[in-house]
Amino acid sequence: MPTYVVTGGAGFIGSNFVRLALERDAGLKVVTIDLLTYAGNLANLVGVPLERHTFIRADISVADAMADAVPDGADALINFAAETHVDRSILSPGAFARTNVVGTQVLLDVAREKGVKRFLQVSTDEVYGSLGPEDPAFTEAHPLVPSSPYAASKAGADLLVLAAHHTYGQDARLTRCSNNYGPYQFPEKLIPLMLSNALDDRPLPVYGDGRQVRDWIYTDDHSRAILAVLEGGRPGAVYNIGARCERFNIDVVRAILRELGKPESLIQLVKDRPGHDRRYAIDPTRVEAELGWRPEVSFEEGLARTIRWYREHEDWWRRVKDGSYREFYDEWYGDR
Ligand code: NAD
Ligand code: TYD
């Protein structure tokens, strides 16, 4: 049975990928390795077939723990594990350097030692920095000019992955995706935060003038692109992933309020994020042309599905917001 190791598989996108990969291939086994930081939640993996899924709680930046956790000769290791929230990286950059940079190097080393056949690093468009309003979208040739500690740590990891390919001939490849949204996203990120606040008639804090632009993609489309790159992409190559869907933040927030039938008076313009990137936009021509991947979910359809999911899974986001989702983890796995 082919085996994929998925690090960070209890997070938002990782859990989506685990579910999708297991559904698509009934012969696949997945080993999920995740530290269950505040962003990891086993409830995100509810419903995965237990006979083909193993969960290990461990830290990707600890080499011994990874040597124990990663099975010999696995077919692939897909690394989603990361500290991911820009605002947190401004407050505590150290954790970002440790997990995102050191953790990625540990995984590359362990993957080589254990004969893991392929390595895929899940990265972000934020490594390219910020665009002006008229600039063309990021291609893979765009220089790396990250602005936030989060983006800088992801850029550092990207360079280590490319170096491992160049130096050791390791089969390692990279995807750089734009902003994701969908079910199970932690309600600190724009769409689930605004959605859950609006459902409770609480204020929606929009940074600065709300005229920053993000390029949105539904999680399922991102996961499908990762599978396409993993199975059909080239070693040592970078693939940008995006759905050509740029929106002003304020328009996204207004669309959420419209869908929910809530008033725009809930919007509160608040102090801007320090060093806030103005615009991201991805040119996905390479992944489309080489691998035939296309996004399948429009923004309107994806947002409607996401809103429906948060309405129907109030227990999930309320337990995340009040902290009770963590109740049993330390009891089950020991305090880390
Ligand atoms: P997330 O914050 O929801 O999940 C991250 C997961 O990593 C959590 O389950 C957490 O417990 C785990 N983790 C953190 N530190 C760890 C460590 N030291 N050892 C083991 N596990 C650890 O993040 P996400 O939004 O699902 O993002 C997943 C990946 O995709 C990240 O690498 C991120 O940079 C990348 N990405 C995210 C987006 C986006 O819009 N969310 C866009 C492009 C790329
Ligand atoms: P976020 O979801 O944090 O993703 P990223 O910063 O990685 O793109 O934020 C998306 C955009 O929304 C970004 O321009 C910052 C803005 N934003 C707000 O205006 N208010 C908020 O409360 C949050 C969390 C984000």
Side-chain angles (χ1 to χ4, degrees):
M1 240 190 200
T3 301
Y4 288 174
V5 179
V6 178
T7 48
F12 162 50
I13 309 171
S15 62
N16 180 279
F17 177 85
V18 168
R19 187 173 289 108
L20 199 108
L22 286 168
E23 264 170 28
R24 200 206 44 157
D25 178 356
L28 180 71
K29 267 180 59 183
V30 169
V31 177
T32 294
I33 300 174
D34 195 297
L35 183 57
L36 298 178
T37 67
Y38 80 93
N41 187 346
L42 289 178
N44 298 356
L45 287 164
V46 159
V48 300
L50 294 178
E51 66 288 359
R52 292 189 288 123
H53 183 251
T54 307
F55 178 79
I56 299 170
R57 188 184 194 188
D59 185 339
I60 62 160
S61 66
V62 178
D64 290 349
M66 286 307 104
D68 287 345
V70 173
D72 283 313
D75 295 274
L77 190 156
I78 304 102
N79 180 28
F80 293 88
E83 289 290 340
T84 60
H85 193 42
V86 173
D87 294 322
R88 287 179 191 256
S89 82
I90 294 167
L91 295 172
S92 332
F96 286 71
R98 194 163 48 251
T99 289
N100 300 1
V101 182
V102 176
T104 300
Q105 186 59 53
V106 166
L107 289 176
L108 285 163
D109 293 344
V110 168
R112 278 198 314 284
E113 286 155 16
K114 295 263 173 157
V116 174
K117 297 185 186 77
R118 189 163 288 179
F119 189 102
L120 189 147
Q121 174 75 359
V122 180
S123 188
T124 166
D125 59 358
E126 301 195 29
V127 300
Y128 296 125
S130 184
L131 292 170
E134 304 303 329
D135 290 339
F138 301 124
T139 67
E140 291 82 356
H142 195 281
L144 301 189
V145 276
S147 331
S148 69
Y150 163 64
S153 67
K154 292 295 290 186
D158 285 12
L159 296 178
L160 292 171
V161 172
L162 295 174
H165 171 72
H166 187 79
T167 308
Y168 309 110
Q170 188 165 2
D171 181 336
R173 54 197 72 190
L174 274 170
T175 56
R176 294 189 181 131
C177 189
S178 60
N179 282 66
N180 284 226
Y181 67 100
Y184 297 107
Q185 187 168 27
F186 197 89
E188 65 184 349
K189 304 277 169 43
L190 181 75
I191 289 181
L193 177 72
M194 300 298 160
L195 190 43
S196 54
N197 279 12
L199 284 169
D200 278 344
D201 298 306
R202 291 176 48 207
L204 312 191
V206 171
Y207 297 158
D209 60 2
R211 305 279 297 168
Q212 302 82 9
V213 174
R214 294 294 182 266
D215 187 355
W216 295 96
I217 183 169
Y218 192 63
T219 359
D220 289 5
D221 280 330
H222 184 190
S223 290
R224 279 191 280 266
I226 291 170
L227 278 171
V229 170
L230 181 68
E231 290 162 4
R234 287 173 287 121
V238 176
Y239 292 88
N240 282 354
I241 315 291
R244 295 192 170 88
C245 178
E246 292 182 58
R247 295 283 188 283
F248 289 114
N249 289 342
I250 191 76
D251 291 341
V252 171
V253 174
R254 287 198 179 114
I256 292 170
L257 289 171
R258 246 193 333 272
E259 277 286 315
L260 292 176
K262 299 280 184 177
E264 291 202 0
S265 56
L266 286 176
I267 296 175
Q268 250 181 30
L269 296 182
V270 298
K271 190 168 172 305
D272 208 353
R273 170 187 281 172
H276 198 169
D277 284 340
R278 201 68 188 163
R279 174 175 167 243
Y280 303 143
I282 275 280
D283 179 345
T285 303
R286 174 178 291 174
V287 70
E288 290 174 347
E290 268 187 36
L291 302 174
W293 171 87
R294 293 282 184 290
E296 292 173 16
V297 183
S298 70
F299 186 67
E300 291 64 33
E301 169 61 20
L303 191 62
R305 279 193 207 175
T306 305
I307 290 175
R308 203 176 318 129
W309 188 88
Y310 278 80
R311 271 186 188 285
E312 289 169 1
H313 293 80
E314 240 189 84
D315 53 330
W316 181 88
W317 60 262
R318 287 207 187 280
R319 283 176 61 75
V320 170
K321 281 193 149 180
D322 71 19
S324 56
Y325 72 115
R326 304 203 55 80
E327 249 161 35
F328 301 110
Y329 292 175
D330 293 337
E331 204 176 299
W332 290 346
Y333 296 106
D335 198 357
R336 314 254 162 157

